[in-house]
């Protein structure tokens, strides 16, 4: 299906950590990351006891569409809609849906998730968000979650996955890059505290506070090692991620030429045969109640 082309949508939003959403390297990184993360988590909805109950699904900030396309392939009863502010991402997602022959059930639209969503109330059984930390500021969450609840049907699920802003590895240089990343995310108000769990420690509380019932959490400790396909994917994600996010990190963490030195050292250390890393992701989900006293 073709994408919506709303020329009033800003394709270069100031809140996104990678300013240029037309950046080819960022599209490549997100494609690699989509596949890597979904596989490491055991599938698109591994924590849900009965994904068959979800017929209409919305994927917020869908990027190149990897999660939605995999969901369409795994669950033939689902109809999925992905939204992203980037026209380039949406065009790529539409092309991929057609290539994988799921374009009859997976459509992608240009839309700004920080504005009111262009869907009727109670449209979806499941609303999915992954890595919202990349563009949501701390003060955005109340309005954002309220809008997600609006478009979710009664007893439907809001599902949010995000990562701790660090990784436990034997690379000192990679550890330093993550420390700068934490600093940048905190100073730019993308996380609530200057620590690895600056967002993830608050998400369950936020879901409950702004209207979800039965909030649950699942923790994933994703392990990657050099010399494996998964380790190669992690390396590519980090290589491209710390490159495309460099202007954001240098600006907010006030890092100069030292960044390039540490970045290059991290690339070398991640290619060592003994490199290993654990990256923690958390998925939070809650149900929209019929009424709340």
């Amino acid at each position: 299906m073709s994408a919506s082309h709303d020329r009033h949508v800003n394709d270069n939003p100031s809140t996104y950590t990678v300013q240029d959403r037309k950046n080819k390297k960022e599209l490549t990184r997100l494609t690699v990351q989509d596949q890597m993360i979904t596989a490491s988590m055991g599938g698109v909805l591994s924590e849900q006891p009965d994904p068959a109950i979800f017929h209409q699904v919305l994927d917020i900030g869908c990027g190149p569409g990897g999660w939605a396309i995999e969901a369409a392939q795994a669950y033939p009863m689902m109809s999925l809609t992905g939204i992203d502010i980037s026209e380039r991402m949406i065009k790529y997602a539409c092309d991929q849906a057609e290539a994988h022959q799921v374009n009859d059930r997976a459509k992608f639209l240009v839309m700004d998730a920080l504005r009111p969503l262009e869907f009727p109330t109670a449209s979806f059984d499941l609303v999915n968000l992954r890595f919202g930390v990349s563009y949501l500021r701390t003060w955005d969450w109340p309005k954002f979650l309220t809008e997600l609840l609006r478009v979710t049907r009664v007893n439907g699920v809001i599902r949010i996955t995000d990562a701790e802003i660090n990784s436990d590895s034997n690379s000192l240089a990679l550890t330093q890059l993550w420390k700068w990343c934490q600093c940048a995310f905190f100073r730019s108000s993308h996380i609530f505290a200057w620590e690895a769990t600056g967002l993830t420690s608050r998400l369950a509380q936020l879901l409950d506070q702004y209207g979800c019932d039965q909030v649950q959490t699942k923790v994933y400790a994703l392990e990657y090692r050099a010399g494996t396909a998964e380790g190669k994917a992690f390396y590519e994600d980090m290589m491209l991620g710390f490159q495309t996010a460099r202007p954001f990190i240098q600006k907010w963490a006030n890092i100069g030429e030292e960044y390039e030195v540490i970045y290059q050292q991290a690339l070398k250390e991640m290619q060592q045969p003994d490199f290993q890393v654990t990256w923690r992701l958390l998925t939070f989900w809650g149900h929209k109640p019929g009424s709340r006293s």
Side-chain angles (χ1 to χ4, degrees), residues 162-167 178 196-197 200 219 279-282:
D162 230 302
E164 294 186 357
I165 306 174
N166 73 350
S167 60
W178 278 114
T197 59
T200 54
V219 180
W279 193 21
R280 283 167 55 91
L281 271 67
L282 295 89

Side-chain angles (χ1 to χ4, degrees), residues 67-78 80 102 105-106:
W67 184 89
I69 290 170
E70 287 199 46
Q73 292 174 313
Y75 303 107
M77 72 291 180
M78 282 186 188
L80 297 108
V102 294
R105 292 183 296 108

Side-chain angles (χ1 to χ4, degrees), residues 33 60 63 264:
Q33 187 187 76
I60 304 281
Q264 292 298 331

Side-chain angles (χ1 to χ4, degrees), residues 157-178:
V157 170
I158 293 175
R159 177 183 189 264
I160 298 174
T161 299
D162 230 302
E164 294 186 357
I165 306 174
N166 73 350
S167 60
D168 182 11
S169 78
N170 54 359
S171 167
L172 295 178
L174 181 61
T175 299
Q176 181 60 62
L177 289 175
W178 278 114

Side-chain angles (χ1 to χ4, degrees), residues 5 10 25 39 42 46 51 94 97 108 120 140 143 161 206 225 229 241 271 284:
H5 294 280
N10 178 7
K25 290 180 180 179
S46 59
C94 289
F108 298 93
D140 291 321
K143 183 178 179 181
T161 299
L206 286 168
R225 296 177 181 274
Q271 293 181 84
F284 306 84

Side-chain angles (χ1 to χ4, degrees), residues 221-257:
L222 310 184
E223 296 184 356
Y224 303 102
R225 296 177 181 274
T228 66
E230 296 80 8
K232 182 179 179 182
F234 179 85
Y235 171 84
E236 190 169 359
D237 185 20
M238 295 298 106
M239 176 190 69
L240 293 171
F242 281 110
Q243 189 177 109
T244 56
R246 177 175 177 167
F248 170 82
I249 296 172
Q250 285 192 292
K251 172 186 175 181
W252 289 102
N254 193 27
I255 304 300
E257 294 303 315

